[in-house]
Amino acid sequence: MCTNPPAKGNAAPCGLLTSHSSQLHTASQGSGRQCCGTHLSLLQSLCLSLGVPGQRRPTTLYPWRRAPAPSRVRRAWVIPPISVSENHKRLPYPLVQIKSDKQQLGSVIYSIQGPGVDEEPRGVFSIDKFTGKVFLNAMLDREKTDRFRLRAFALDLGGSTLEDPTDLEIVVVDQNDNRPAFLQEAFTGRVLEGAAPGTYVTRAEATDADDPETDNAALRFSILQQGGPELFSIDELTGEIRTVQVGLDREVVAVYNLTLQVADMSGDGLTATASAIITLDDINDNAPEFTRDEFFLEATEAISGVDVGRLEVEDRDLPGSPNWVARFTILEGDPDGQFTIRTDPKTNEGVLSIVKALDYESCEHYELKVSVQNEAPLQAAAPRAERGQAKVRVHVQDTNEPPVFQENPLRTSLAEGAPPGTLVAIFSAWDPDTEQLQRLSYSKDYDPEDWLQVDAASGRIQTQRVLSPASPFLKGGWYRAIVLAQDDAPQPRTATGTLSIEILEVNDHAPVLVLPPPGSLCSEPHQGPGLLLGATDEDLPPHGAPFHFQLNPRLPELGRNWSLSQVNVSHARLRPRNQVPEGLHRLSLLLWDSGQPPQQREQPLNVTVCRCGQDGICLPGAAALLAGGTGLSLGALVIVLASALLLLVLVLLVALRARFRQQSRGKGLLHGPQDDLRDNVLNYDEQGGGEEDQDAYDISQLRHPTALSLPLGPPPLRRDAPQSRLHPQPPRALPTSPLDIADFISDGLEAADSDPSVPPYDTALIYDYEGDGSVAGTLSSILSSQGDEDQDYDYLRDWGPRFARLADMYGHP
């Protein structure tokens, strides 16, 4: 099998196919064509030439031709791929023609399979099934698919396989049809101002979709425009941007905007542009300076915590940064630390304020020397400030200052129970306005017990009554008052002074026994524990305990029959010395405390003596003797009994009064259902002529209904009563709301007309006696008014049509 020599521009000559058994045969020459390889069982030859644009007809390929029997085995040639350029527009374009020499022309059917034919993307390649010509039917894009691997088949007309399938590879040749593209539209970078040449700033990156193995994707970077001197450079291969010279000054240019370009074909092909925004970071290369050499300010005396004025400064560094923030220092002129300077964070000005009140009388003028620096240290190469220091002159204005107490708060002490007129203290003040002659006056501002009296001219304070030791305003033995001192200026000023008075404890109370003492004494000296006596004292230490107990020496018989021994600082034990008779014994004791001078009290004591058993407990037979109670005098017993009797009488009086009220409520009332009061409408059991109608009806019968003698049998009937209503109607329910009154009255009138046992509604009716204390007003109050003009009858309209006429007659027109 032979083929024509490949035309100019073909990719490569044809080669030999390898067989499935890897056995190779020598290719023979014939008819000016190059031989191809053979299979072990079936010799096949394959000749291939590339179809390229501009070739008139495709090269014929004989992939299945048999060659003469080889005399020796040769290595087979590998068929190179068929190359075709992407974006080829003359379609369909013939790529190659394959043939089989087993059958005559027209008796072989050719087909191809694979991507681009019957697999995605479909329809890119096709083959003439009778001639074996392979065509390109669509433009190729290498960036999507860079090669196609197809398989070729040869069949007879009956569909039987004439040859084994063979591979056909088509390679898409790249063209420079894609521009390079930056990864970002704008690249950002930061660098310190004054950076040295060669300092890295940022890096620009770009890509190209073309074949990276060709110049179509060989990219080169460059800077098209910097907007000024060339301070930056870019590496054409890596895209790194660096500084190239000194001179970066943020105060001159803070941001640089570079225009970048990238080109393929090693810089000679397609291009794309982007920008690089480079920001200079600030350094402290500019010292702050005052705007003036001197500042003149004024301040008011006797006021602290106020601002006096502002000191203006300038700094070219970045506002808000530590390189810009100013810090002020007072170097001279403020030995007492009366001034301070803080920085305004918005304006960077120094705010001079007073931390200690100024005194015009002490100093009228202040001359301060102030310096300014940045929060961050200044760069060593930065120029020094010409106005780094300034003078601040402060003039103090004289004002009316409030008086000043010489000692505030003033603490003093006073004995407990001090009489009125006792001097407490002289709480005086002085006026700091020495150049203004002013008088001071004093007054009280806080004295909850109204205990003190203040002299308005001198500030002398004395008591005006005795302070009670139980005062709730005496806290921990201290009494607190507030005194005011005021000058007599046109606009007076006031000072407040606190007076704390310690109330010293005085021994003004004698101790007293705790009565009654518990228990009783045994008549025998050796029996029982004795009687434990305790004492208390209203005074506080050291004027209280320890207490001293003694039998009254004026009664010598007490010492012969009784003994008194100290138990502790507040208790003593009483025991009989000899056997004493049973019963009540009245003793006399002397008690005194430990105060200076000590307070003494003669204390009577009633002691009950009983006969005790071996265990020291009174025997049952002696219980009657204890009824008097130990330490309870006869007068106290009488008071207790009188109180109990009085309480019993009060209880009886209350019970009798309650019973009398209950009985009085039952008198003078009719038996039957109780009156039901609903919105001042009363349900009476009987109707009569009122309180003053004594002739129409016997009122006493109403007050004593039990005395009524009613005839036996059914009640008399009216002559006009209908035969169908011979029996009285049952009682009706009372109205539950004022809106039901009209219906209630109408139904009542109808029931009265129909009731044969009562007179008709248009006859004279007798009303019940209301009685004293009725919750409803008497009807006779209607006659108490002098005229009808002060009566309001409009409410009768709400009771129905029967009362509407009364409202029209007596109500308002």
Side-chain angles (χ1 to χ4, degrees), residues 475-811:
K475 306 293 184 181
W478 288 85
Y479 184 83
R480 177 174 163 272
I482 297 178
V483 179
L484 302 179
Q486 186 177 20
D487 58 26
D488 58 352
Q491 296 181 353
R493 301 294 302 275
T494 303
T496 301
T498 301
L499 177 63
S500 297
I501 306 173
E502 182 184 11
I503 306 301
L504 300 178
E505 183 70 22
V506 176
N507 191 18
D508 54 351
H509 294 88
V512 61
L513 280 178
V514 180
L515 295 178
S520 59
L521 284 173
C522 295
S523 59
E524 297 292 336
H526 62 277
Q527 291 182 339
L531 188 63
L532 185 64
L533 305 179
T536 60
D537 196 330
E538 295 184 13
D539 294 322
L540 298 176
H543 303 295
F547 303 121
H548 303 277
F549 300 82
Q550 183 183 4
L551 296 171
N552 195 337
R554 291 185 301 159
L555 302 174
E557 64 275 10
L558 295 179
R560 293 192 296 267
N561 297 327
W562 305 91
S563 66
L564 195 61
S565 59
Q566 194 85 22
V567 176
N568 51 34
V569 296
S570 59
H571 290 79
R573 189 177 302 278
L574 178 67
R575 303 178 66 93
R577 291 182 181 272
N578 306 310
Q579 183 176 3
V580 294
E582 301 179 25
L584 182 64
H585 295 262
R586 292 179 176 85
L587 309 182
S588 178
L589 304 180
L590 293 182
L591 285 83
W592 67 90
D593 54 26
S594 299
Q596 296 297 329
Q599 292 285 340
Q600 180 177 299
R601 179 190 300 272
E602 182 177 351
Q603 178 78 50
L605 177 64
N606 297 331
V607 179
T608 300
V609 178
C610 65
R611 182 164 42 88
C612 299
Q614 296 298 328
D615 53 358
I617 300 177
C618 290
L619 296 177
L625 296 177
L626 300 179
T630 304
L632 190 62
S633 63
L634 180 61
L637 183 60
V638 171
I639 292 175
V640 172
L641 293 177
S643 301
L645 182 61
L646 178 61
L647 180 61
L648 181 60
V649 171
L650 291 177
V651 171
L652 291 176
L653 289 177
V654 171
L656 290 175
R657 185 166 181 242
R659 181 177 182 84
F660 176 76
R661 284 186 176 181
Q662 184 176 4
Q663 292 177 357
S664 62
R665 287 187 185 136
K667 293 181 179 181
L669 298 178
L670 293 175
H671 293 285
Q674 295 182 355
D675 292 347
D676 191 359
L677 180 61
R678 302 279 179 88
D679 294 315
N680 296 332
V681 176
L682 298 178
N683 181 26
Y684 294 100
D685 291 340
E686 197 70 34
Q687 296 182 348
E691 299 175 14
E692 299 178 358
D693 188 2
Q694 303 295 329
D695 299 330
Y697 196 87
D698 188 4
I699 302 300
S700 63
Q701 297 298 327
L702 292 176
R703 295 178 180 175
H704 304 282
T706 55
L708 292 176
S709 59
L710 299 178
L712 298 177
L717 302 179
R718 289 178 7 217
R719 299 177 181 179
D720 60 344
Q723 297 299 324
S724 60
R725 299 293 300 271
L726 298 181
H727 301 284
Q729 299 296 322
R732 297 179 295 114
L734 294 178
T736 58
S737 65
L739 300 178
D740 300 332
I741 292 178
D743 297 335
F744 176 81
I745 294 175
S746 299
D747 296 340
L749 294 176
E750 182 180 357
D753 291 343
S754 303
D755 193 348
S757 62
V758 298
Y761 73 91
D762 54 352
T763 61
L765 301 180
I766 299 175
Y767 292 89
D768 193 2
Y769 173 67
E770 295 177 1
D772 296 333
S774 175
V775 295
T778 176
L779 294 177
S780 57
S781 61
I782 299 177
L783 302 177
S784 62
S785 60
Q786 299 300 326
D788 293 335
E789 57 275 6
D790 57 347
Q791 301 294 330
D792 185 8
Y793 300 95
D794 292 339
Y795 66 94
L796 297 175
R797 303 178 189 275
D798 300 331
W799 289 13
R802 296 179 181 269
F803 293 89
R805 186 173 180 181
L806 290 175
D808 294 336
M809 296 173 59
Y810 295 95

Side-chain angles (χ1 to χ4, degrees), residues 453-472:
Q453 183 179 4
V454 180
D455 185 78
S458 63
R460 177 187 175 92
I461 302 175
Q462 62 184 14
T463 62
Q464 59 183 357
R465 61 185 184 86
V466 177
L467 179 65
S468 172
S471 172

Side-chain angles (χ1 to χ4, degrees), residues 27 40 46 250 289-290 358 361 402 407 458 473 483 563 640 695 706 718 735 741:
L40 178 62
L46 175 63
R250 192 205 64 83
E289 296 183 358
F290 288 102
L358 305 179
E361 287 73 22
E407 184 181 355
S458 63
F473 301 100
V483 179
S563 66
V640 172
D695 299 330
T706 55
R718 289 178 7 217
I741 292 178

